[in-house]
Amino acid sequence: MTALLEVEDLRVAYGKIEAVKGISFSVEAGQVVTLIGTNGAGKTTTLRTLSGLLQPLGGEIRFDGKPLRGVPAHKIVALGLAHSPEGRHIFPRLSIAENLQLGAFLRKDADGIAADIRHAYELFPILGERRNQAAGTLSGGEQQMLAMGRALMSRPKLLMLDEPSMGLSPIMMQKIMQTIAELKSQGTTILLVEQNAQAALSLADQGHVMEIGKIVLSGSGETLLHDESVRKAYLGED
Ligand code: ATP
């Protein structure tokens, strides 16, 4: 079986600085795959390249059987790859409902869009309760929910989440992680970038540890969760 996403020897640079130095990994349909690692390891750069926001220096990206190199970002969304970026980037003056509508900007099926908005409100009831409120009035965690809900509105084949737990209270973080688990159980394929290695590995089928632009360790979420070097470096154990 070919994977939904295949990344081979991907290299990305900002000017002369190579931030991603030849990484390879794949995501099978229905899997949750996580990239973990310290600040500056190149995780966000990898997601931005997969979305078409950055052009790679080298390597291959295949999504759903098609090469992605050189394909513009809006076409990549249309192919089924959605990105919920770090720092959220919701539209603060627009209402919650309007933000969700914008996530469906490539779709024309009004009934399907309405059904997916209802689904977002089921996943995140707080968004439904506040649907007509300006999105900027939501808390950080609620804005994260909105960003995830909006990314889902394109009905993606692959959902990429960049640090969904960043800056959230432990309770909010737990809620976001529960939602990711729920999406997984509904069959959504997810590529998850997280600083919170414990939470990410607990959910993931596969994990990859990145350090200064390279993947230094790969394995099942379970294996990495119990790996001594991972526990020391990322789970705060001596
Ligand atoms: P973080 O969790 O801090 O976002 P990360 O693993 O996602 O870390 P990246 O944001 O991908 O890491 O950064 C990888 C490297 O690229 C870092 O050394 C960073 O300083 C550098 N970098 C990121 N964005 C830019 C940019 N716009 N211009 C120049 N260098 C950049």
Side-chain angles (χ1 to χ4, degrees), residues 97-124:
E98 287 164 336
N99 268 274
L100 290 173
Q101 285 280 354
L102 279 175
F105 73 102
L106 289 170
R107 294 173 55 188
K108 302 211 161 36
D109 55 325
D111 291 350
I113 293 171
D116 286 356
I117 289 184
R118 282 197 298 278
H119 182 231
Y121 294 156
E122 275 161 31
L123 274 178
F124 303 113

PDB file of all heavy atoms in Angstrom, residues 97-124:
ATOM      1  N   ALA A  97     -18.718  31.682  13.315  1.00  0.00           N
ATOM      2  CA  ALA A  97     -19.357  31.041  12.156  1.00  0.00           C
ATOM      3  C   ALA A  97     -18.679  31.476  10.860  1.00  0.00           C
ATOM      4  O   ALA A  97     -18.440  30.658   9.964  1.00  0.00           O
ATOM      5  CB  ALA A  97     -20.842  31.382  12.128  1.00  0.00           C
ATOM      6  N   GLU A  98     -18.338  32.775  10.757  1.00  0.00           N
ATOM      7  CA  GLU A  98     -17.684  33.265   9.536  1.00  0.00           C
ATOM      8  C   GLU A  98     -16.288  32.663   9.368  1.00  0.00           C
ATOM      9  O   GLU A  98     -15.872  32.338   8.258  1.00  0.00           O
ATOM     10  CB  GLU A  98     -17.601  34.804   9.562  1.00  0.00           C
ATOM     11  CG  GLU A  98     -18.948  35.458   9.335  1.00  0.00           C
ATOM     12  CD  GLU A  98     -18.973  36.939   9.728  1.00  0.00           C
ATOM     13  OE1 GLU A  98     -18.151  37.379  10.563  1.00  0.00           O
ATOM     14  OE2 GLU A  98     -19.847  37.644   9.212  1.00  0.00           O
ATOM     15  N   ASN A  99     -15.567  32.526  10.483  1.00  0.00           N
ATOM     16  CA  ASN A  99     -14.250  31.884  10.405  1.00  0.00           C
ATOM     17  C   ASN A  99     -14.378  30.460   9.879  1.00  0.00           C
ATOM     18  O   ASN A  99     -13.573  30.019   9.055  1.00  0.00           O
ATOM     19  CB  ASN A  99     -13.580  31.865  11.781  1.00  0.00           C
ATOM     20  CG  ASN A  99     -12.694  33.071  12.030  1.00  0.00           C
ATOM     21  OD1 ASN A  99     -11.528  33.083  11.665  1.00  0.00           O
ATOM     22  ND2 ASN A  99     -13.273  34.096  12.653  1.00  0.00           N
ATOM     23  N   LEU A 100     -15.396  29.733  10.341  1.00  0.00           N
ATOM     24  CA  LEU A 100     -15.584  28.350   9.885  1.00  0.00           C
ATOM     25  C   LEU A 100     -15.934  28.331   8.395  1.00  0.00           C
ATOM     26  O   LEU A 100     -15.401  27.525   7.631  1.00  0.00           O
ATOM     27  CB  LEU A 100     -16.664  27.653  10.708  1.00  0.00           C
ATOM     28  CG  LEU A 100     -16.276  27.345  12.161  1.00  0.00           C
ATOM     29  CD1 LEU A 100     -17.482  26.802  12.927  1.00  0.00           C
ATOM     30  CD2 LEU A 100     -15.129  26.341  12.232  1.00  0.00           C
ATOM     31  N   GLN A 101     -16.827  29.250   8.004  1.00  0.00           N
ATOM     32  CA  GLN A 101     -17.208  29.346   6.578  1.00  0.00           C
ATOM     33  C   GLN A 101     -15.977  29.540   5.700  1.00  0.00           C
ATOM     34  O   GLN A 101     -15.871  28.946   4.623  1.00  0.00           O
ATOM     35  CB  GLN A 101     -18.132  30.561   6.355  1.00  0.00           C
ATOM     36  CG  GLN A 101     -19.550  30.385   6.833  1.00  0.00           C
ATOM     37  CD  GLN A 101     -20.400  29.583   5.849  1.00  0.00           C
ATOM     38  OE1 GLN A 101     -19.953  29.246   4.762  1.00  0.00           O
ATOM     39  NE2 GLN A 101     -21.611  29.242   6.264  1.00  0.00           N
ATOM     40  N   LEU A 102     -15.027  30.376   6.182  1.00  0.00           N
ATOM     41  CA  LEU A 102     -13.832  30.658   5.381  1.00  0.00           C
ATOM     42  C   LEU A 102     -12.996  29.410   5.150  1.00  0.00           C
ATOM     43  O   LEU A 102     -12.311  29.294   4.136  1.00  0.00           O
ATOM     44  CB  LEU A 102     -12.977  31.720   6.076  1.00  0.00           C
ATOM     45  CG  LEU A 102     -13.446  33.147   5.849  1.00  0.00           C
ATOM     46  CD1 LEU A 102     -12.612  34.112   6.676  1.00  0.00           C
ATOM     47  CD2 LEU A 102     -13.324  33.502   4.364  1.00  0.00           C
ATOM     48  N   GLY A 103     -13.065  28.480   6.091  1.00  0.00           N
ATOM     49  CA  GLY A 103     -12.324  27.222   5.924  1.00  0.00           C
ATOM     50  C   GLY A 103     -12.860  26.392   4.766  1.00  0.00           C
ATOM     51  O   GLY A 103     -12.196  25.484   4.282  1.00  0.00           O
ATOM     52  N   ALA A 104     -14.082  26.712   4.331  1.00  0.00           N
ATOM     53  CA  ALA A 104     -14.709  25.956   3.235  1.00  0.00           C
ATOM     54  C   ALA A 104     -14.668  26.752   1.935  1.00  0.00           C
ATOM     55  O   ALA A 104     -15.461  26.516   1.032  1.00  0.00           O
ATOM     56  CB  ALA A 104     -16.155  25.635   3.613  1.00  0.00           C
ATOM     57  N   PHE A 105     -13.713  27.699   1.820  1.00  0.00           N
ATOM     58  CA  PHE A 105     -13.764  28.642   0.698  1.00  0.00           C
ATOM     59  C   PHE A 105     -13.662  27.978  -0.672  1.00  0.00           C
ATOM     60  O   PHE A 105     -14.069  28.552  -1.667  1.00  0.00           O
ATOM     61  CB  PHE A 105     -12.696  29.738   0.858  1.00  0.00           C
ATOM     62  CG  PHE A 105     -11.284  29.296   0.613  1.00  0.00           C
ATOM     63  CD1 PHE A 105     -10.649  29.592  -0.580  1.00  0.00           C
ATOM     64  CD2 PHE A 105     -10.578  28.594   1.587  1.00  0.00           C
ATOM     65  CE1 PHE A 105      -9.341  29.181  -0.812  1.00  0.00           C
ATOM     66  CE2 PHE A 105      -9.271  28.182   1.363  1.00  0.00           C
ATOM     67  CZ  PHE A 105      -8.657  28.476   0.164  1.00  0.00           C
ATOM     68  N   LEU A 106     -13.128  26.756  -0.715  1.00  0.00           N
ATOM     69  CA  LEU A 106     -13.006  26.091  -2.018  1.00  0.00           C
ATOM     70  C   LEU A 106     -14.229  25.241  -2.347  1.00  0.00           C
ATOM     71  O   LEU A 106     -14.310  24.657  -3.417  1.00  0.00           O
ATOM     72  CB  LEU A 106     -11.765  25.191  -2.026  1.00  0.00           C
ATOM     73  CG  LEU A 106     -10.428  25.926  -2.043  1.00  0.00           C
ATOM     74  CD1 LEU A 106      -9.282  24.950  -1.794  1.00  0.00           C
ATOM     75  CD2 LEU A 106     -10.229  26.638  -3.378  1.00  0.00           C
ATOM     76  N   ARG A 107     -15.178  25.157  -1.405  1.00  0.00           N
ATOM     77  CA  ARG A 107     -16.302  24.230  -1.610  1.00  0.00           C
ATOM     78  C   ARG A 107     -17.551  24.970  -2.081  1.00  0.00           C
ATOM     79  O   ARG A 107     -17.738  26.137  -1.762  1.00  0.00           O
ATOM     80  CB  ARG A 107     -16.607  23.494  -0.294  1.00  0.00           C
ATOM     81  CG  ARG A 107     -15.470  22.593   0.116  1.00  0.00           C
ATOM     82  CD  ARG A 107     -15.698  22.005   1.492  1.00  0.00           C
ATOM     83  NE  ARG A 107     -16.966  21.289   1.619  1.00  0.00           N
ATOM     84  CZ  ARG A 107     -17.424  20.824   2.780  1.00  0.00           C
ATOM     85  NH1 ARG A 107     -16.741  21.008   3.898  1.00  0.00           N
ATOM     86  NH2 ARG A 107     -18.567  20.190   2.820  1.00  0.00           N
ATOM     87  N   LYS A 108     -18.405  24.253  -2.788  1.00  0.00           N
ATOM     88  CA  LYS A 108     -19.630  24.889  -3.273  1.00  0.00           C
ATOM     89  C   LYS A 108     -20.869  24.171  -2.746  1.00  0.00           C
ATOM     90  O   LYS A 108     -21.983  24.589  -3.003  1.00  0.00           O
ATOM     91  CB  LYS A 108     -19.647  24.878  -4.809  1.00  0.00           C
ATOM     92  CG  LYS A 108     -18.429  25.590  -5.392  1.00  0.00           C
ATOM     93  CD  LYS A 108     -18.719  26.254  -6.703  1.00  0.00           C
ATOM     94  CE  LYS A 108     -17.728  27.324  -7.079  1.00  0.00           C
ATOM     95  NZ  LYS A 108     -16.340  27.059  -6.706  1.00  0.00           N
ATOM     96  N   ASP A 109     -20.684  23.070  -2.013  1.00  0.00           N
ATOM     97  CA  ASP A 109     -21.809  22.260  -1.552  1.00  0.00           C
ATOM     98  C   ASP A 109     -22.382  22.825  -0.250  1.00  0.00           C
ATOM     99  O   ASP A 109     -21.953  22.451   0.844  1.00  0.00           O
ATOM    100  CB  ASP A 109     -21.371  20.800  -1.361  1.00  0.00           C
ATOM    101  CG  ASP A 109     -20.179  20.656  -0.428  1.00  0.00           C
ATOM    102  OD1 ASP A 109     -19.288  21.539  -0.430  1.00  0.00           O
ATOM    103  OD2 ASP A 109     -20.151  19.682   0.348  1.00  0.00           O
ATOM    104  N   ALA A 110     -23.353  23.741  -0.392  1.00  0.00           N
ATOM    105  CA  ALA A 110     -23.879  24.457   0.776  1.00  0.00           C
ATOM    106  C   ALA A 110     -24.385  23.500   1.862  1.00  0.00           C
ATOM    107  O   ALA A 110     -24.158  23.732   3.060  1.00  0.00           O
ATOM    108  CB  ALA A 110     -24.993  25.401   0.333  1.00  0.00           C
ATOM    109  N   ASP A 111     -25.054  22.415   1.471  1.00  0.00           N
ATOM    110  CA  ASP A 111     -25.586  21.479   2.475  1.00  0.00           C
ATOM    111  C   ASP A 111     -24.457  20.793   3.234  1.00  0.00           C
ATOM    112  O   ASP A 111     -24.510  20.648   4.454  1.00  0.00           O
ATOM    113  CB  ASP A 111     -26.453  20.399   1.808  1.00  0.00           C
ATOM    114  CG  ASP A 111     -27.735  20.993   1.261  1.00  0.00           C
ATOM    115  OD1 ASP A 111     -28.020  22.174   1.576  1.00  0.00           O
ATOM    116  OD2 ASP A 111     -28.441  20.287   0.509  1.00  0.00           O
ATOM    117  N   GLY A 112     -23.432  20.387   2.479  1.00  0.00           N
ATOM    118  CA  GLY A 112     -22.272  19.731   3.099  1.00  0.00           C
ATOM    119  C   GLY A 112     -21.555  20.674   4.044  1.00  0.00           C
ATOM    120  O   GLY A 112     -21.137  20.279   5.138  1.00  0.00           O
ATOM    121  N   ILE A 113     -21.444  21.936   3.628  1.00  0.00           N
ATOM    122  CA  ILE A 113     -20.760  22.928   4.469  1.00  0.00           C
ATOM    123  C   ILE A 113     -21.547  23.115   5.771  1.00  0.00           C
ATOM    124  O   ILE A 113     -20.974  23.111   6.864  1.00  0.00           O
ATOM    125  CB  ILE A 113     -20.606  24.278   3.712  1.00  0.00           C
ATOM    126  CG1 ILE A 113     -19.638  24.099   2.538  1.00  0.00           C
ATOM    127  CG2 ILE A 113     -20.114  25.378   4.647  1.00  0.00           C
ATOM    128  CD1 ILE A 113     -19.576  25.290   1.581  1.00  0.00           C
ATOM    129  N   ALA A 114     -22.874  23.232   5.638  1.00  0.00           N
ATOM    130  CA  ALA A 114     -23.714  23.414   6.840  1.00  0.00           C
ATOM    131  C   ALA A 114     -23.566  22.204   7.764  1.00  0.00           C
ATOM    132  O   ALA A 114     -23.472  22.352   8.992  1.00  0.00           O
ATOM    133  CB  ALA A 114     -25.173  23.614   6.422  1.00  0.00           C
ATOM    134  N   ALA A 115     -23.503  21.009   7.183  1.00  0.00           N
ATOM    135  CA  ALA A 115     -23.359  19.797   8.007  1.00  0.00           C
ATOM    136  C   ALA A 115     -22.013  19.791   8.719  1.00  0.00           C
ATOM    137  O   ALA A 115     -21.914  19.398   9.889  1.00  0.00           O
ATOM    138  CB  ALA A 115     -23.501  18.549   7.124  1.00  0.00           C
ATOM    139  N   ASP A 116     -20.977  20.246   8.025  1.00  0.00           N
ATOM    140  CA  ASP A 116     -19.642  20.247   8.635  1.00  0.00           C
ATOM    141  C   ASP A 116     -19.532  21.316   9.726  1.00  0.00           C
ATOM    142  O   ASP A 116     -18.790  21.133  10.696  1.00  0.00           O
ATOM    143  CB  ASP A 116     -18.563  20.443   7.561  1.00  0.00           C
ATOM    144  CG  ASP A 116     -18.374  19.165   6.739  1.00  0.00           C
ATOM    145  OD1 ASP A 116     -19.015  18.154   7.057  1.00  0.00           O
ATOM    146  OD2 ASP A 116     -17.579  19.187   5.785  1.00  0.00           O
ATOM    147  N   ILE A 117     -20.244  22.435   9.543  1.00  0.00           N
ATOM    148  CA  ILE A 117     -20.257  23.442  10.610  1.00  0.00           C
ATOM    149  C   ILE A 117     -20.946  22.848  11.844  1.00  0.00           C
ATOM    150  O   ILE A 117     -20.465  22.988  12.968  1.00  0.00           O
ATOM    151  CB  ILE A 117     -20.927  24.754  10.135  1.00  0.00           C
ATOM    152  CG1 ILE A 117     -19.999  25.451   9.117  1.00  0.00           C
ATOM    153  CG2 ILE A 117     -21.232  25.679  11.311  1.00  0.00           C
ATOM    154  CD1 ILE A 117     -20.464  26.790   8.613  1.00  0.00           C
ATOM    155  N   ARG A 118     -22.033  22.107  11.626  1.00  0.00           N
ATOM    156  CA  ARG A 118     -22.704  21.441  12.769  1.00  0.00           C
ATOM    157  C   ARG A 118     -21.751  20.449  13.434  1.00  0.00           C
ATOM    158  O   ARG A 118     -21.692  20.350  14.653  1.00  0.00           O
ATOM    159  CB  ARG A 118     -23.973  20.720  12.295  1.00  0.00           C
ATOM    160  CG  ARG A 118     -25.156  21.654  12.063  1.00  0.00           C
ATOM    161  CD  ARG A 118     -26.474  20.870  12.018  1.00  0.00           C
ATOM    162  NE  ARG A 118     -26.524  19.910  10.930  1.00  0.00           N
ATOM    163  CZ  ARG A 118     -26.844  20.211   9.659  1.00  0.00           C
ATOM    164  NH1 ARG A 118     -27.147  21.454   9.323  1.00  0.00           N
ATOM    165  NH2 ARG A 118     -26.872  19.268   8.735  1.00  0.00           N
ATOM    166  N   HIS A 119     -20.978  19.741  12.609  1.00  0.00           N
ATOM    167  CA  HIS A 119     -20.012  18.777  13.151  1.00  0.00           C
ATOM    168  C   HIS A 119     -18.961  19.499  14.013  1.00  0.00           C
ATOM    169  O   HIS A 119     -18.588  19.027  15.096  1.00  0.00           O
ATOM    170  CB  HIS A 119     -19.351  18.008  12.008  1.00  0.00           C
ATOM    171  CG  HIS A 119     -18.388  16.957  12.473  1.00  0.00           C
ATOM    172  ND1 HIS A 119     -17.110  16.866  11.997  1.00  0.00           N
ATOM    173  CD2 HIS A 119     -18.501  15.966  13.390  1.00  0.00           C
ATOM    174  CE1 HIS A 119     -16.479  15.860  12.598  1.00  0.00           C
ATOM    175  NE2 HIS A 119     -17.307  15.291  13.443  1.00  0.00           N
ATOM    176  N   ALA A 120     -18.509  20.666  13.544  1.00  0.00           N
ATOM    177  CA  ALA A 120     -17.524  21.446  14.319  1.00  0.00           C
ATOM    178  C   ALA A 120     -18.126  21.851  15.664  1.00  0.00           C
ATOM    179  O   ALA A 120     -17.454  21.809  16.699  1.00  0.00           O
ATOM    180  CB  ALA A 120     -17.086  22.677  13.532  1.00  0.00           C
ATOM    181  N   TYR A 121     -19.416  22.207  15.671  1.00  0.00           N
ATOM    182  CA  TYR A 121     -20.077  22.599  16.922  1.00  0.00           C
ATOM    183  C   TYR A 121     -20.276  21.394  17.853  1.00  0.00           C
ATOM    184  O   TYR A 121     -20.310  21.544  19.070  1.00  0.00           O
ATOM    185  CB  TYR A 121     -21.426  23.272  16.644  1.00  0.00           C
ATOM    186  CG  TYR A 121     -21.327  24.610  15.920  1.00  0.00           C
ATOM    187  CD1 TYR A 121     -22.404  25.104  15.172  1.00  0.00           C
ATOM    188  CD2 TYR A 121     -20.176  25.394  15.991  1.00  0.00           C
ATOM    189  CE1 TYR A 121     -22.326  26.324  14.513  1.00  0.00           C
ATOM    190  CE2 TYR A 121     -20.094  26.611  15.329  1.00  0.00           C
ATOM    191  CZ  TYR A 121     -21.171  27.070  14.595  1.00  0.00           C
ATOM    192  OH  TYR A 121     -21.089  28.281  13.949  1.00  0.00           O
ATOM    193  N   GLU A 122     -20.414  20.195  17.244  1.00  0.00           N
ATOM    194  CA  GLU A 122     -20.499  18.987  18.081  1.00  0.00           C
ATOM    195  C   GLU A 122     -19.152  18.676  18.724  1.00  0.00           C
ATOM    196  O   GLU A 122     -19.077  18.322  19.898  1.00  0.00           O
ATOM    197  CB  GLU A 122     -20.915  17.782  17.225  1.00  0.00           C
ATOM    198  CG  GLU A 122     -22.419  17.641  17.050  1.00  0.00           C
ATOM    199  CD  GLU A 122     -22.754  16.763  15.861  1.00  0.00           C
ATOM    200  OE1 GLU A 122     -21.960  15.840  15.553  1.00  0.00           O
ATOM    201  OE2 GLU A 122     -23.793  17.029  15.234  1.00  0.00           O
ATOM    202  N   LEU A 123     -18.092  18.831  17.898  1.00  0.00           N
ATOM    203  CA  LEU A 123     -16.745  18.580  18.435  1.00  0.00           C
ATOM    204  C   LEU A 123     -16.398  19.595  19.513  1.00  0.00           C
ATOM    205  O   LEU A 123     -15.770  19.262  20.519  1.00  0.00           O
ATOM    206  CB  LEU A 123     -15.699  18.721  17.320  1.00  0.00           C
ATOM    207  CG  LEU A 123     -15.364  17.560  16.425  1.00  0.00           C
ATOM    208  CD1 LEU A 123     -14.342  18.009  15.383  1.00  0.00           C
ATOM    209  CD2 LEU A 123     -14.819  16.368  17.199  1.00  0.00           C
ATOM    210  N   PHE A 124     -16.779  20.844  19.284  1.00  0.00           N
ATOM    211  CA  PHE A 124     -16.424  21.947  20.179  1.00  0.00           C
ATOM    212  C   PHE A 124     -17.695  22.735  20.521  1.00  0.00           C
ATOM    213  O   PHE A 124     -17.972  23.772  19.907  1.00  0.00           O
ATOM    214  CB  PHE A 124     -15.429  22.897  19.499  1.00  0.00           C
ATOM    215  CG  PHE A 124     -14.169  22.240  19.021  1.00  0.00           C
ATOM    216  CD1 PHE A 124     -13.901  22.134  17.660  1.00  0.00           C
ATOM    217  CD2 PHE A 124     -13.225  21.746  19.910  1.00  0.00           C
ATOM    218  CE1 PHE A 124     -12.737  21.549  17.203  1.00  0.00           C
ATOM    219  CE2 PHE A 124     -12.050  21.155  19.463  1.00  0.00           C
ATOM    220  CZ  PHE A 124     -11.809  21.053  18.111  1.00  0.00           C
TER     221      PHE A 124
END
